Amino acid sequence: MAEVVSPVPGAGRREPGEVGRARGPPVADPGAALSPQGEIIEGCRLPVLRRNQDNEDEWPLAEILSVKDISGRKLFYVHYIDFNKRLDEWVTHERLDLKKIQFPKKEAKTPTKNGLPGSRPGSPEREVKRKVDVVSPATPVPSETAPASVFPQNGSARRAVAAQPGRKRKSNCLGTDEDSQDSSDGIPSAPRMTGSLVSDRSHDDIVTRMKNIECIELGRHRLKPWYFSPYPQELTTLPVLYLCEFCLKYGRSLKCLQRHLTKCDLRHPPGNEIYRKGTISFFEIDGRKNKSYSQNLCLLAKCFLDHKTLYYDTDPFLFYVMTEYDSKGFHIVGYFSKEKESTEDYNVACILTLPPYQRRGYGKLLIEFSYELSKVEGKTGTPEKPLSDLGLLSYRSYWSQTILEILMGLKSESGERPQITINEISEITSIKKEDVISTLQYLNLINYYKGQYILTLSEDIVDGHERAMLKRLLRIDSKCLHFTPKDWSKRGKW
C-alpha cells in the first residue's frame, strides 16, 4: 500500500521554531498581508520555508489548513502543494512569506453534495480533474495467448516499434504511473465501497486532512504518524500514545501500558502461525474471530495510509501479520489484509511495512507472500486500487523482478529462440494478466517485429536486474508455508 519502500519518511521536516534566518524570499512584516478580517485564515496559499532532502532551504507553495494559538503564539498547519501529505506540519509565523499570500476566492454559494454543505473553504484555483488513461500508439499490447519470442539485445539502445494499425488495446492494462497519495487528480468517479480500508476522497474534510496523533510508542520504537487516524478524540492531545506491541491496545500513559503488560498474555499476534523461516513468521488472523486486534491494527495502519478510510467491520477480512522473533516475543513488522471472498481477484486489500522496517526488503517479502498464497489457492491476484505512491513503487519493483526472473530463466529448444505467452507468465507467477502486460510496457520490453511480438532484453535491463537480485536477500521459502485455503463461499457466515 504498500513497501511501502520509501525515501526517508519525513525528510526535511522541522519542528516549529527550528528555522532561523535562511536564504530565500525575505520574510514579510507580520502586518504586511492580512485578510480583510485582519488575520491569516484557513485556505490561504503562500510560500513556506522548509528544508529538503539535500538539507537545503526552499520555499514551496503551501496551503494553510488550520491555525491555532498556544500561549499567545500562533502556529499554522500547512500542506505543501504537490508534496505528499506526510510532510504536512505545524510552522511558526517566521516561516511564512506573506508578500506572496493568496487568499481564498469568495464563492457565491457553498458547494453542496447530496444536499450537504461543503466542509472546507475554497482554495485559490482549486480544481478537481479526472485523469483520462491514454494508451500511447507506439506501445503494442500482445495477445494473452500468442507466444512472444525473447530476444537478447546488445547495448542499451532500444527502438520502439509501433503496433499494427487497427489492433485493439486494453486501456485498463496501463500501470498507474502517476498514482500518488497526494494527488487529488486520482479521485475515482465511483469509489469502490469494499475493502478493509476504503478510499473515498469526496468526503475529505479539514479534520481528516490533518495529522491528529503526535507520536506513537510501539515496543522499542517511537513512530511519527504520517496521516490522520480516527483514534478516540481524548487521545489526540497526548504527546505520546502508547501501544502494546502484541495486542495493539492503546493507552494514555506509560503507567497504563505497564499495568496492561502485567495482564496481557500475548507474545505474538492472535491467530495461526502459517509460516516460519529463521526469525520471520507470518500469522493468519480472522477479522471476525479476533475483531479487537483487527480493529486496533487498522487504526495503527491508518496512521501511515492516506488513500484509505477505516472500516470497523473487519468480519469479511483476513489479516496476515509479519513478525520478527527475539527472546521477548514476535514483534510486528508489517501486514496485509485481503477479502475472504473477492469478486475482482484482489489478493491484497491493504499492505503496510511499519516505518522502522522500511527500506530493508520487508515490503517485497509481504508482496511475495501474498502471491505465494495465491499460488496455493490456484488463483491469480492483484492488489486493490488505488495504490499509495510507495505501494506502487514496491509492486512495480516486485512485478519487474519476478517477470524478468522468469524471462531470463527460459531455455531455448533446438537452437530456436525461447517463447512464452502472457498467460503462461501469469500462471507461473500468479500475477494477474493486466499487471503482467502493464509491467512489460513499463519496462519497454514489448516490440512488434516481422509479424510477431518479441520481448527484447537489453544489457542494461539484464545488468540492472542482476544487481537488484543480489541485494534482495529476503525471500519466501514455499516449503516453510503451512497453509490450507478455505472455501468461504460455502460458509453461511464467516
Side-chain angles (χ1 to χ4, degrees), residues 74-288:
K74 281 199 172 181
L75 295 177
F76 305 88
Y77 191 87
V78 298
H79 165 63
Y80 299 102
I81 309 301
D82 297 328
F83 284 71
N84 194 282
K85 278 172 59 178
R86 59 178 167 267
L87 297 179
D88 294 1
E89 59 181 332
W90 289 99
V91 301
T92 57
H93 202 285
E94 291 76 24
R95 292 173 59 179
L96 308 180
D97 181 12
L98 298 177
K99 288 184 177 179
K100 298 180 180 179
I101 192 168
Q102 305 170 30
F103 290 105
K105 290 184 177 180
K106 291 184 178 180
E107 299 178 0
K109 291 185 179 180
T110 305
T112 60
K113 181 167 183 176
N114 298 329
L116 298 175
S119 57
R120 60 189 178 199
S123 296
E125 303 170 358
R126 179 188 296 281
E127 293 180 356
V128 177
K129 302 177 183 177
R130 287 191 172 86
K131 289 184 180 177
V132 178
D133 287 338
V134 179
V135 183
S136 168
T139 307
V141 178
S143 165
E144 294 164 357
T145 55
S149 299
V150 181
F151 280 73
Q153 177 177 321
N154 295 327
S156 58
R158 181 186 285 108
R159 181 171 61 89
V161 181
Q164 291 287 321
R167 288 185 179 271
K168 292 183 180 180
R169 302 185 182 87
K170 295 184 178 181
S171 61
N172 63 347
C173 292
L174 289 182
T176 49
D177 190 25
E178 296 177 4
D179 184 20
S180 159
Q181 286 178 322
D182 189 43
S183 174
S184 60
D185 293 352
I187 300 177
S189 56
R192 178 176 177 273
M193 292 311 295
T194 57
S196 54
L197 294 169
V198 185
S199 173
D200 184 3
R201 305 301 292 273
S202 61
H203 294 96
D204 262 7
D205 56 25
I206 289 296
V207 173
T208 58
R209 290 179 71 193
M210 294 171 53
K211 302 171 201 174
N212 59 333
I213 302 295
E214 183 67 26
C215 180
I216 291 175
E217 184 170 303
L218 181 69
R220 61 179 179 271
H221 300 292
R222 282 206 168 187
L223 316 177
K224 295 283 285 185
W226 297 349
Y227 309 110
F228 171 89
S229 182
Y231 278 102
Q233 179 67 31
E234 62 269 19
L235 302 179
T236 59
T237 58
L238 301 174
V240 180
L241 182 62
Y242 294 88
L243 266 62
C244 171
E245 64 176 324
F246 301 115
C247 72
L248 302 183
K249 287 185 179 177
Y250 43 83
R252 300 179 59 89
S253 65
L254 181 58
K255 190 173 182 180
C256 289
L257 175 63
Q258 290 170 341
R259 188 165 59 245
H260 166 79
L261 290 175
T262 62
K263 305 172 187 176
C264 185
D265 297 328
L266 282 178
R267 288 299 173 265
H268 59 77
N272 300 322
E273 185 180 11
I274 60 173
Y275 178 92
R276 183 188 293 187
K277 184 176 182 182
T279 60
I280 300 296
S281 291
F282 279 86
F283 291 82
E284 181 184 57
I285 296 150
D286 189 321
R288 182 181 68 84

Side-chain angles (χ1 to χ4, degrees), residues 35-46:
S35 72
Q37 291 77 21
E39 59 182 3
I40 300 173
I41 58 175
E42 296 169 0
C44 290
R45 292 190 176 192
L46 73 171

